[in-house]
Every structure is written in C-alpha cells, then in structure tokens.
Amino acid sequence: MSSGTFAVLGLYSEAEKIVDAANQIRPHKLGRLEAYTPYPVHGLDRAIGLEPSRLGRLVMLMGVMGAGLALLFEWWVSAVDYPLVTSGKPLFSWQAFVPVMFEVTVLFATFTAGMAMLFALNKLPFFGHPVLHSKAIKDITRDKLALSIEATSAAFDVEAAHQALIDSGAESVEIVPVPTWDRPLSLVGLLRTIAAIVAACVVAGAGLYAAEKLMPIVPPMIHMEDQPKLNAFRESSFFPDGRGMRPAVAGTVARGHLPPAFATPEEAGTLLSNPLPLIQAIAERGRKVFGDHCAICHGTVGNGVPLLSRAYGGKPGNFLSNEIRARPDGHYFGVLMLGKNAMPSYAADLDNDDRWAAVHYIRILQRAQNAKDEDLP
Amino acid sequence: MSAASVHSSLVRNLLGAMTFIGAAGSAGVYFSVGRERFWVNWLVWTLFLLTLGLGNLFLVALERLVGAHWSVPMRRVPERIASLIPLAIVLLLVAFFGVPVIFPWTYPAAAHNPILVAKTPWLNLPFFAIRLAVCATVWMLFYRFYVRGSLRQDVSKDPVFTVRARRLAPLFMVVFFFSVTILAFDWISGLEPEWYSDMLGVYLFAGTFISGIAAMLVGVLALRRGGRLPEVQAKHVYNLGTLGLAFTVFFAYIGFAQYLLIWYANLPEEVIWFKHRIEGAWQPVALLLPLLNFFIPFFLLIGGLGKKHPATLRIAAFSILLGHFVDLYWLIFPVLGPVPLFGWPELAMACFFLGLGWLQIRRAMGRGADMPVGDPLLVKGLEWQL
Amino acid sequence: MSDEQSTPTTWGSEAKGLANRFALGSGVAVTFLLFGLIVVPALLRERRPLPRPPSDQPAAASVGWLDQAETPASKGRDLPPVDPATVMTPNPKLLARGEVLFKQNCTSCHGESGQGNGPAAGTLNPRPRNFTQPADWKRGFHVADIFTTISTGVKGTGMAAFDFIMPADRMALVHYVRSLGGFDHGAEDPKALQALADQFRSKGFHIPNRIPVSLAIKKMVTEQAMVPPLQLRPAEDKSASAELLRFAIVDPFRAARTVAATTNRGDLSTVARAWAAGAPDNGFAPAAAGLNAAEWSEIVRALVGRREEARQP
C-alpha cells in the first residue's frame, strides 16, 4: 500500500493555520512538504522549506551571455565576415551594436526565465498531477488550503504523516495514491494529434483562401507608392510646365555631350582619332559597353549574328568583314553618334569615353577573331 | 539640554560654518577667478539642488497618482527633500544675473549669427524671464500644495486631502514634464544655443528621477539607522531599491538613445556637442557617467540580496547622486573649455551649496512627524506585503 | 492493484507499443536523414572556398565555355579551292543552301521574296534592290555581277560586303537571288564566267586564327605604345606659344595621343579641323576651334617640334 502512495493531504481553512502547521511538521522530516492554496499565502514558502528560486541567477547569467554573444556576433558579421563601411563609421561601431545587444539580452533573459521556470523548475511537461485526481481538489480550488506530505522514499510512513497532519489541526486528511498513467504516446493519441494538425491546416488554409477571395485587399501602407517624387516620364506638378523630365537650360550643353563636328561617319573617320590609351581598364570598360549596348545585335564576338535575331530579324554589320575592319576608328565613333541604316544613334545613351572604349573593344574583337600566328598560345 | 540636541546643534553649527566658508570661497571665485567660472558653478549646483527637490516632489506626486500604499510610511522623506525647491528657486533667480555672462545668445555677437537670430523668438531675455517665473510659480504652488497639505493633514487627519492630492497629480505630471523640459532647454541647451536635442528634456528628467529616488533612499536609510522610522521595514526599502533599479535602466536608455541618434546621424551641428564632451580630456568624465549612473547601481541592485542590505543600497544611492552631479558637470562645464576644471573654486562652491541644501533639509526635518500620521493610507502601507 | 500487474498482454496493446516504437523510430530516422543528407552536406559545401579567378584575368574568363568570346584558341586553316563545275550552274542542292543563307543575311532588307521590302528597308537610302524587277538591277543581274556585288558591297549604300561568306555559299546566294526574279536574265558573258571560274580554282577560303578575347586584350594592351604626355611649358613661361598651348590643350595625355595619331593626316587646315572636331575628348579645348590659321600653325609647330624632340634619345 505504501508504495502506491503519492502524498498525504491535509486541508485547512485559514492561511495562518496552514503556515503554523507547516512550521510544526517541517522538523519531523516525514517527506517533502508541498502546499496547494487558492491564493498566495505570505510566509508559506519559508514554512514549507522552499529555497529561494535559482531562476534569477540563471536569467542574469543568460542575459549577460546574450549581450556578449550579440556583441561577438555583430563584431564578427560587420568587422570580419562581411566588412562593409556604413556611412563612414568604423567597422566595429559598438554604438550601433547596443540596440541589438539589448534586444538579444532581453530575448535570452525572458526565454530563460520562461523556459527554465516551466521545464527545469516546474518540471513540465507532465500530463496530470496526482493531486488533481484527489477528492480534495474541489475544495482546494475554492476556499481550502492544503498541505501535502509527499512520499520521497519507499520508507515513507503514511500513518505518521496522517497523524502529524491531524495533530497540526487539519480539518480532514486524504491519502493520494500514485495514479496509473496512460501511455503518453498512445496510437490513438498520435492519430488524434495528426488529425488535429491536418484539421487545423485545412481550417486555416480555407480561412485564408476565403479571406483572400471575399475580403477586399487593403494595401497595408501606400505612402511608398504615392510619394511625391520626380519621375522622368510622368507629369509633375512641381514645375510650372508640368514636365517631370527637365530640358537642358537654354544655350547649354551637357558635359560630354557636345554636338558632333561631323556630318557623316566617313567624315568622322577622317577627322577623329581614339584619344583613349588601350590599357586593361579601358578594355574592360569597352567590354562592358559593348556587352550592354552592342552585343545584342552585333553578337558577342562582333560577327553580326544577333542574339535577338528572331525578334528583330535584322542583319547588323559584321565587324569581322574586311570591309568594316578597314575603317578607321573615327568611323565607328561616327556611326555610334549618328547611327547607320537601321542602327539608331547612341549619342544620348553613352558618353564619349564609353564610345571610344567600345571602339577599342571592337578592335580587340577583330584581333581575337583574326589573330596573328604568334598570338596563338 | 539632552545629548541628542547638543549633537544636533553641533552638526548645525558645523554645517553653518561650512556654508559660510563656502560662501566666502564663492565670493573669492567671483572676484579673483572669474565670473564665468562662478556662474557656471552656480548653475551646476543650483540645478543639482533643484532637480533633487523636483525629483522628490515628483515621487510624492507619483505615489499620489498611482495610489501606492507601500511608500506612504516613507513619504515624509521626499516631502522634506522637496523643501530644496524654494531654496533652489531663489538660487535660480540669482543665477539670472549670470545669464548675460555665460549664455552666448545674450552676447552682442549673437545678432550676427543667423542661427541665433532665427532662434530669437524663443531665446530672448524677457521671454526667458517669463518662462523662469512661470516655472518657478508652478513648482512653488505644487510644492506648497503637496508638502504643506501633508503636514496639515498630520493634525487634521482629514482624508479629503488624500483625495484632492490624487486628483491634482495628473495635472502636476503634465506641468512637471513641460517645466523640466523648459528648464533643460533654457539652462543647459541655452549654453550652446546652436546645438539642440529634443531629448535633452527627457534626459534631464531621467536624471532628476533617479537622483530623486537615490536621495529618498539615502534619507530613509539614515532615518531608519537613527531609529526614527521604526515602522518602515526592509520590504519597503527593498521596493524603493527596485524602483531605483528600474529607473537606472531608464536613465541609461534615454542617455544612450540621445547619444546613439546623434552619433548615427552624424550631423555636424549636432555631433559637435558630443565631440566636445566625449573626446580628449572630457572622455574620462564621460565614461564616469554610465559607470556611476548605470553600471554600479544596476549590478548592485539587480539581485535580491543587494536590495536587502542597507550598505549596498547606500553605495548605489551615493553612486547615483555623485553620478547626477557628474552628469550636470558634464553637461554644463564644457562651455568653459576643452579641459575639465576642478579645483578649489569648485570645492568652495560645493561647500556653499551642499551646506545650504543640508541646512534647508534639516530645517524641514523639524516640521511634522517622521511619518504622515494623518494619511488614511498609512495603515495599509505599513501592512503592505512584498 | 495486483490485477493491473497481471493484466495479460493483449494483441491490441502489443500493436500500440509497436506503433509507438515505429513512430518514434521513424521520427528519429527522418531527423537523421535530414541532417545526414541535406544539412551536413550543405554545411560542408558552404565551407568550401569559392573559386576565384586570379586577379590579372578578366572576370569573364571564368565563365569559359558559356561565353562565345572566350572559346579556346584555334589555329586558322585554308579551305581547298572550290570546283567551279559544282557552283557555276544552279542545282536544287545549291538553291536550297541559297535559300537558307538568303533568309539569314538578306531578308531583313530585301524582304522574304526579294522585293526590297524587308523590315529594315525603310531605314535605308537608297532603298534596297527589288530582285523581281529587271529595271531595278543597277549593277547587273548576271552571275559574275551579282557575285561581285555580294563580295564587295556597294559603296554609299546600305549594302555591305559579305566577303565573310564562303565563295561556294556566295554562289548559292547568287543562284537563289536570280531564281527570285522570274524574268529572262539573258545570256551570260562567257569571259566573265571564265574569270570567275579561274578565281574559284586558284584560291581557297581562309579561316583566320581565333583566340579568346581576354587573350586579345592582353596582347593588344602589351603592344600598346605608351605615348608620353605633352609637356606644357610651366606657367611662368609667358611666351606667346606657351600661352597658346596652355589655352588650346586641356589634357596633355590625350592631346599627346591625338597629336601622335593625326599630325600626318595632311595639311594644316585638315589637322586643325580634326583637333577641333574631337575636342574636348582628344585633349584639346573646344574653344580652340575659334583659333585662326596663324595660331594653329604656331601650335602645330610647337607640338610637332616637341614630339620630334621627345623622340630624340
């Protein structure tokens, strides 16, 4: 019988009595004392011999750890792994890290407080406390206060505990047996859980679907869309003429966009020479300009096979043909400025140095596709 | 004549002597060291006394506002410290003579500074005086209402006053925040009128609040030690320590928020103020601020043990009080130059003001009982359980 | 309580236990599989350093075979000469090849059926030839004439030289173009045909060497002769020519390149016009366009002389 006892419960009506009873019973060391009361009773924690909670120290430790980890993490992210200078600040700017450190400290501390309280100190999860199955629980949740002597070993003396509680003035005493537990993971329980999850998914999905179909969609914030900004191709109320795109001031020319001093590409060929030295950086710039603007029609290698042939159906010039190779640099520049046949002018899209770099690059392509013997590796 | 009263009059005479020596030293500062240094010192110590008084008045009103019981047995302490308010107002009125000396917006050169010209509607002497007068009047009115009313209640035992004090508390809160903000803008920001920070008012309020709590803590502990507050138990002081802990964090938060925003935006006109205060010779002083106002009190008070021991509570409270002085010193003294000045002029004026303040509090100690015996909430406060 | 202890194990409780263990075991197995097959390999993969191209190589070299410009170098070769007998007269195979080539190269201007109405025709002046109208043929519609036109293009028009197409393919085009115009082309000139046949017999088609563009960049950059910047005289030099040079030149480096590239272009007025036309990109000031002939000759004398000086060791 004694092996099947969880605790002996004594019921009291007044807070002072239970505190006195606990103080009276505690020295006998009959078993672990525990109290169940419908409201907090001052001094009861000391009376049943509860030690001060270790939670505070744990929370403190984890909070400090959170602050340290956050600092370490931010230092590593912003100064070691991905050093990116932001608004001229040093890579290790502790000032900017403080808000995150603060948040992580709070996160660690609160999670530690919650989790440690529930799982470490309150010993969750369990599926039902034996006292919940006692007869006294109805009184405990109403107006009675219960002191329980819990069995901590096989040598627990039920009779002695019973007598001690009666001696201390308990109104009634109940022996709470160790309940017979169900298996925590029963097949039915598992299936029910899965079914519940599925049902929850179905309900949530259907609800969301219905909400999306039936409710008008309200954009959460439209300030970003409606901001009064200058848009080049829209009308604007800011300027009196209503144009978003501003014309150049009368009598001026944008830097790098002087009107050309030649009328035809041929004339440009006789007049101009490439002012840029052919160095690596210029070649790379030319490669970029060519790739961005020219290759789509003239082909990656400049052979006039367009990347966009199906959509365009054109026959762009083949830079590798003898005819075009023989033309001077200025001619290419002139074509870029004035356009030729179906090719539009690129006067507005590129600046002069871009054009000259592209000319260099065309020469490089011609060399690559018509290399000298000594060029071969 | 009993031994206690002999002791008491000895202390009073010593304090009087200290004040007198301080006053003489202050006169020496004014005539031999320089008017700027004199007035800057004057301003720091006046604001120190004023914020201690206002902070404690605020604590009284806060208790009334939220209907707290636990602090009722201790309430006579903040009410007595609040008696610094009339003294500090007088000192502040005297400081008005120093306005043309230390406030650049009063200099003739300000007429050529476009920023100061733009701020003229706010920064002009008549309006400045009006603001000072309004704030002083409001503080005095509320001081008389709360402190004198409470003293009268000792005799009359009239519960109506408790109700009225509570009804007026919200009004006091609003007026208090506005007046402290004006105090900060006028008397601290005004020293460098090209700079501005919206947060300085809240910052000064946070300093006022924690230094008020610290002063109250010191007073309660001293009275308990002298056996004059036998009914106030460790749990009451414990709760006061908790309040102090919470508001050291608030102070650190506000102080750092002001710094972080200005540091991050890096606008030249704003950041220069901090550059003068956290770089070079001022850097150690700036480092003292978080140490005294946050780290020391925070780690002393965070555990349960620290709040139960009077020794730790006292260290934390003195750390905050010293930190509050350093805070005002750090806010105001950099106008004198890039090196923190601390010598005999500062000590002499500290003697003068501390002596004055102490005498004033001693004077207030004689009025009324040590506990608000007429307050109907007192019983509840004594029975209060942590 | 003794009843509970002696409860016989039933089939149902046994099955429940098995199911429990199975569920637990499969959960553990799935977790381990997830980690073993996805998370751990992914983490290992993440730890591998990313391949990085050496810094002296252009970045595009790393895409290798994806980029047509970076195909590996190939040696040029000569295709053998074409047997004239296979191309001089149309045959179905040749016409089929011609149709493919026509669609690729010609329809954008000359149109699908050769009527000169391709998508790009509207942009051309003079407009493209209409192959179906005998009157439209300006340069002859005989075999040799058309071959020449395709090979060399027509100067001053949009017609480019298609010399990069192999001769046999050009002949396929010739025959296909002729088949578009359903009119009588008349008799061929035997002499011209003979010359064309001789040309085919004598010469093959050369496919040039090809190298990756990054290599071509390297070659051409190393071959680049650095032109030293023009030494403008110091500001203290108040002589007229020094002042003039300082007025006319904004960028001594570019101006040096321009001078090196254009001084041999002919007479003074041509050179001066060229320099003014390229300004300011070529290093000369746009305002230099307003200088008069005497001033230009002064500048040219100073610059060319300077360049000659610079060439002296």
Side-chain angles (χ1 to χ4, degrees):
Chain A
M1 187 75 187
S2 68
S3 65
T5 305
F6 173 77
V8 183
L9 274 182
L11 289 189
Y12 305 83
S13 295
E14 290 165 32
E16 290 81 10
K17 273 192 185 166
I18 190 170
V19 175
D20 292 345
N23 280 327
Q24 190 185 328
I25 293 171
R26 184 155 45 92
H28 300 317
K29 294 198 165 52
L30 292 166
R32 205 168 80 87
L33 282 183
E34 184 62 277
Y36 305 95
T37 60
Y39 50 85
V41 177
H42 284 289
L44 189 54
D45 50 344
R46 274 190 302 281
I48 63 170
L50 261 189
E51 287 175 6
S53 172
R54 287 161 297 159
L55 195 61
R57 261 169 281 167
L58 205 60
V59 169
M60 178 80 192
L61 183 76
M62 291 299 282
V64 171
M65 201 169 101
L69 278 180
L71 182 65
L72 198 69
F73 176 73
E74 287 185 272
W75 160 76
W76 181 75
V77 165
S78 33
V80 179
D81 186 46
Y82 201 85
L84 186 68
V85 174
T86 311
S87 64
K89 303 282 195 291
L91 291 174
F92 181 80
S93 295
W94 64 267
Q95 293 95 333
F97 299 166
V98 167
V100 176
M101 281 169 67
F102 174 73
E103 300 292 343
V104 176
T105 307
V106 172
L107 181 83
F108 272 49
T110 49
F111 268 55
T112 308
M115 300 284 174
M117 186 189 78
L118 293 176
F119 296 109
L121 303 179
N122 291 358
K123 302 199 172 53
L124 287 180
F126 61 79
F127 294 96
H129 196 278
V131 171
L132 293 175
H133 299 278
S134 69
K135 294 187 198 71
I137 189 68
K138 281 182 185 166
D139 290 336
I140 294 173
T141 52
R142 204 163 55 216
D143 60 348
K144 295 279 197 264
L145 304 96
L147 187 68
S148 85
I149 307 175
E150 289 180 6
T152 45
S153 66
F156 180 62
D157 190 344
V158 178
E159 296 305 325
H162 195 284
Q163 195 56 46
L165 285 168
I166 290 192
D167 290 349
S168 71
E171 291 166 8
S172 62
V173 177
E174 182 187 352
I175 296 170
V176 181
V178 173
T180 49
W181 300 108
D182 287 336
R183 274 175 182 278
L185 277 174
S186 70
L187 185 64
V188 176
L190 269 178
L191 287 177
R192 273 185 192 155
T193 311
I194 293 170
I197 293 172
V198 170
C201 292
V202 168
V203 170
L208 272 178
Y209 180 81
E212 211 167 81
K213 286 286 165 199
L214 302 178
M215 312 278 180
I217 296 201
V218 180
M221 195 185 88
I222 54 170
H223 305 135
M224 208 81 140
E225 291 169 25
D226 288 351
Q227 54 183 321
K229 67 179 178 193
L230 199 63
N231 194 322
F233 294 99
R234 301 270 168 79
E235 69 172 29
S236 156
S237 57
F238 187 78
F239 293 103
D241 63 357
R243 282 200 279 183
M245 188 157 24
R246 304 311 303 152
V249 177
T252 62
V253 172
R255 208 166 257 280
H257 291 278
L258 269 183
F262 44 84
T264 62
E266 285 74 17
E267 194 185 354
T270 63
L271 284 176
L272 303 181
S273 63
N274 198 335
L276 298 181
L278 181 50
I279 56 174
Q280 184 77 28
I282 300 284
E284 291 300 335
R285 183 173 176 184
R287 186 178 198 139
K288 171 149 176 52
V289 172
F290 189 88
D292 289 352
H293 293 92
C294 316
I296 192 136
C297 291
H298 290 285
T300 317
V301 294
N303 58 2
V305 176
L307 304 178
L308 203 61
S309 55
R310 279 289 147 235
Y312 172 45
K315 176 57 196 155
N318 182 346
F319 294 136
L320 310 178
S321 71
N322 293 328
E323 183 197 14
I324 297 188
R325 275 168 60 200
R327 286 175 181 157
D329 282 356
H331 189 101
Y332 293 86
F333 187 86
V335 171
L336 274 167
M337 288 295 284
L338 304 171
K340 179 165 182 174
N341 297 344
M343 170 168 160
S345 159
Y346 281 78
D349 297 272
L350 300 169
D351 68 22
N352 283 349
D353 283 359
D354 280 340
R355 277 188 276 273
W356 285 121
V359 172
H360 269 315
Y361 187 69
I362 291 171
R363 293 293 187 216
I364 287 165
L365 286 176
Q366 289 168 348
R367 173 72 167 271
Q369 295 296 309
N370 209 329
K372 297 174 188 166
D373 285 340
E374 65 264 25
D375 290 348
L376 291 170
Chain B
M1 208 177 234
S2 68
S5 66
V6 168
H7 172 75
S8 166
S9 57
L10 177 69
V11 170
R12 194 183 64 222
N13 291 342
L14 279 177
L15 278 175
M18 176 174 134
T19 313
F20 186 74
I21 294 171
S26 304
V29 173
Y30 187 84
F31 291 109
S32 72
V33 178
R35 292 191 301 154
E36 283 88 359
R37 196 153 170 191
F38 174 83
W39 284 119
V40 163
N41 264 305
W42 187 283
L43 185 56
V44 167
W45 282 108
T46 303
L47 287 181
F48 184 76
L49 296 182
L50 181 62
T51 49
L52 281 192
L54 285 176
N56 279 281
L57 186 62
F58 177 75
L59 282 172
V60 171
L62 186 65
E63 178 205 298
R64 303 289 197 180
L65 177 74
V66 299
H69 305 134
W70 62 271
S71 59
V72 175
M74 299 182 280
R75 199 181 62 221
R76 202 36 60 80
V77 175
E79 282 174 1
R80 284 167 173 172
I81 300 176
S83 66
L84 290 172
I85 292 176
L87 170 71
I89 286 174
V90 172
L91 295 173
L92 203 57
L93 291 174
V94 175
F96 198 76
F97 293 106
V99 167
V101 181
I102 53 174
F103 285 86
W105 52 268
T106 58
Y107 300 168
H112 307 295
N113 186 331
I115 298 175
L116 295 189
V117 169
K119 289 187 177 181
T120 309
W122 180 265
L123 289 178
N124 58 72
L125 272 176
F127 191 28
F128 189 87
I130 291 171
R131 287 196 300 268
L132 176 60
V134 168
C135 288
T137 312
V138 164
W139 294 331
M140 273 314 288
L141 283 176
F142 276 103
Y143 165 72
R144 291 188 68 84
F145 173 70
Y146 277 115
V147 176
R148 293 290 160 86
S150 177
L151 284 174
R152 269 201 300 277
Q153 200 187 25
D154 276 7
V155 184
S156 68
K157 318 274 185 204
D158 182 8
V160 175
F161 174 71
T162 304
V163 177
R164 279 176 56 207
R166 183 167 186 174
R167 287 216 181 119
L168 267 182
L171 178 67
F172 172 76
M173 293 292 157
V174 175
V175 169
F176 176 76
F177 285 120
F178 274 108
S179 58
V180 168
T181 306
I182 287 173
L183 182 72
F185 287 177
D186 276 359
W187 291 93
I188 298 176
S189 289
L191 291 166
E192 288 178 45
E194 293 176 3
W195 180 77
Y196 71 90
S197 164
D198 299 347
M199 275 185 99
L200 193 75
V202 189
Y203 180 73
L204 185 71
F205 161 70
T208 302
F209 198 5
I210 56 162
S211 59
I213 294 173
M216 175 173 169
L217 205 47
V218 169
V220 169
L221 289 172
L223 285 183
R224 249 166 64 88
R225 204 185 198 181
R228 289 177 67 174
L229 279 177
E231 310 267 331
V232 171
Q233 295 167 22
K235 60 194 179 190
H236 295 107
V237 187
Y238 182 96
N239 225 32
L240 193 56
T242 311
L243 196 65
L245 170 73
F247 281 91
T248 55
V249 181
F250 176 68
F251 176 78
Y253 170 72
I254 294 295
F256 182 75
Q258 174 174 273
Y259 169 61
L260 179 72
L261 292 182
I262 290 178
W263 171 84
Y264 218 113
N266 212 4
L267 299 175
E269 70 270 23
E270 290 184 0
V271 90
I272 188 75
W273 191 86
F274 269 107
K275 271 182 85 75
H276 287 161
R277 278 163 178 78
I278 59 173
E279 288 185 358
W282 279 98
Q283 192 185 28
V285 183
L287 289 178
L288 273 181
L289 279 180
L291 186 72
L292 291 173
N293 280 316
F294 177 65
F295 285 106
I296 289 177
F298 180 81
F299 285 102
L300 282 178
L301 297 180
I302 182 118
L305 283 177
K307 280 173 289 205
K308 285 179 186 138
H309 287 290
T312 46
L313 281 170
R314 210 174 279 127
I315 296 173
F318 278 117
S319 167
I320 292 173
L321 285 176
L322 180 61
H324 186 54
F325 165 71
V326 173
D327 187 17
L328 290 169
Y329 178 76
W330 177 80
L331 285 170
I332 292 171
F333 258 67
V335 298
L336 288 182
V339 178
L341 295 173
F342 201 88
W344 72 265
E346 281 66 35
L347 288 175
M349 298 200 62
C351 280
F352 174 57
F353 282 93
L354 286 177
L356 269 185
W358 208 318
L359 282 174
Q360 172 76 357
I361 291 174
R362 275 182 65 87
R363 217 159 66 84
M365 296 273 280
R367 293 192 208 116
D370 286 337
M371 275 200 288
V373 290
D375 195 322
L377 294 173
L378 179 66
V379 181
K380 265 184 135 178
L382 289 172
E383 282 177 354
W384 171 81
Q385 295 277 356
L386 189 63
Chain C
M1 199 159 281
S2 58
D3 285 355
E4 279 181 34
Q5 279 168 356
S6 61
T7 304
T9 53
T10 60
W11 185 86
S13 67
E14 190 75 2
K16 272 185 187 175
L18 275 177
N20 275 338
R21 275 170 219 140
F22 175 74
L24 205 63
S26 53
V28 171
V30 165
T31 313
F32 272 90
L33 280 178
L34 179 76
F35 271 85
L37 297 181
I38 301 172
V39 178
V40 175
L43 288 176
L44 291 177
R45 207 183 132 80
E46 284 296 309
R47 283 180 56 190
R48 268 200 326 235
L50 286 173
R52 286 195 182 174
S55 57
D56 61 328
Q57 293 284 324
S62 58
V63 291
W65 55 273
L66 271 179
D67 187 351
Q68 214 186 340
E70 294 299 327
T71 42
S74 60
K75 179 135 182 56
R77 62 203 156 95
D78 285 305
L79 295 181
V82 181
D83 179 6
T86 59
V87 294
M88 294 310 284
T89 50
N91 60 49
K93 209 178 137 194
L94 212 53
L95 284 175
R97 175 75 182 146
E99 184 177 2
V100 170
L101 287 167
F102 185 82
K103 291 220 162 96
Q104 281 175 4
N105 293 294
C106 315
T107 49
S108 64
C109 298
H110 292 286
E112 288 285 330
S113 52
Q115 288 171 335
N117 56 358
T123 65
L124 301 185
N125 182 25
R127 60 175 182 77
R129 188 74 57 245
N130 181 349
F131 298 141
T132 59
Q133 296 296 323
D136 225 32
W137 289 88
K138 292 286 186 300
R139 292 166 66 93
F141 45 69
H142 298 296
V143 172
D145 299 334
I146 301 178
F147 186 84
T148 310
T149 307
I150 292 177
S151 302
T152 60
V154 183
K155 268 229 174 303
T157 72
M159 179 65 191
F162 287 82
D163 53 0
F164 48 89
I165 299 178
M166 285 189 280
D169 284 344
R170 269 180 254 164
M171 282 307 288
L173 270 176
V174 168
H175 292 306
Y176 183 74
V177 165
R178 279 159 63 87
S179 74
L180 289 171
F183 55 87
D184 180 19
H185 289 86
E188 294 285 329
D189 177 4
K191 224 197 266 170
L193 281 183
Q194 188 57 43
L196 195 59
D198 288 345
Q199 191 190 329
F200 286 148
R201 247 184 242 106
S202 65
K203 211 170 105 192
F205 186 74
H206 178 69
I207 295 177
N209 298 327
R210 300 221 153 101
I211 56 172
V213 169
S214 53
L215 184 61
I217 292 180
K218 211 188 261 175
K219 293 278 176 198
M220 289 185 69
V221 166
T222 32
E223 285 169 15
Q224 165 85 14
M226 288 314 286
V227 182
L230 286 179
Q231 295 293 315
L232 296 183
R233 298 217 173 112
E236 300 85 62
D237 188 347
K238 298 290 184 202
S239 66
S241 71
E243 291 280 0
L244 206 54
L245 281 190
R246 278 199 294 274
F247 171 74
I249 294 173
V250 289
D251 185 338
F253 285 88
R254 291 190 179 204
R257 285 187 59 82
T258 310
V259 170
T262 48
T263 37
N264 50 6
R265 285 228 177 135
D267 62 353
L268 174 66
S269 64
T270 317
V271 172
R273 201 171 149 242
W275 290 354
D281 295 312
N282 61 359
F284 284 89
L291 297 177
N292 61 31
E295 286 165 329
W296 272 119
S297 65
E298 176 66 30
I299 289 175
V300 170
R301 199 161 47 247
L303 288 183
V304 176
R306 193 80 43 73
R307 198 156 59 87
E308 296 305 324
E309 280 167 31
R311 276 190 190 157
Q312 314 274 315

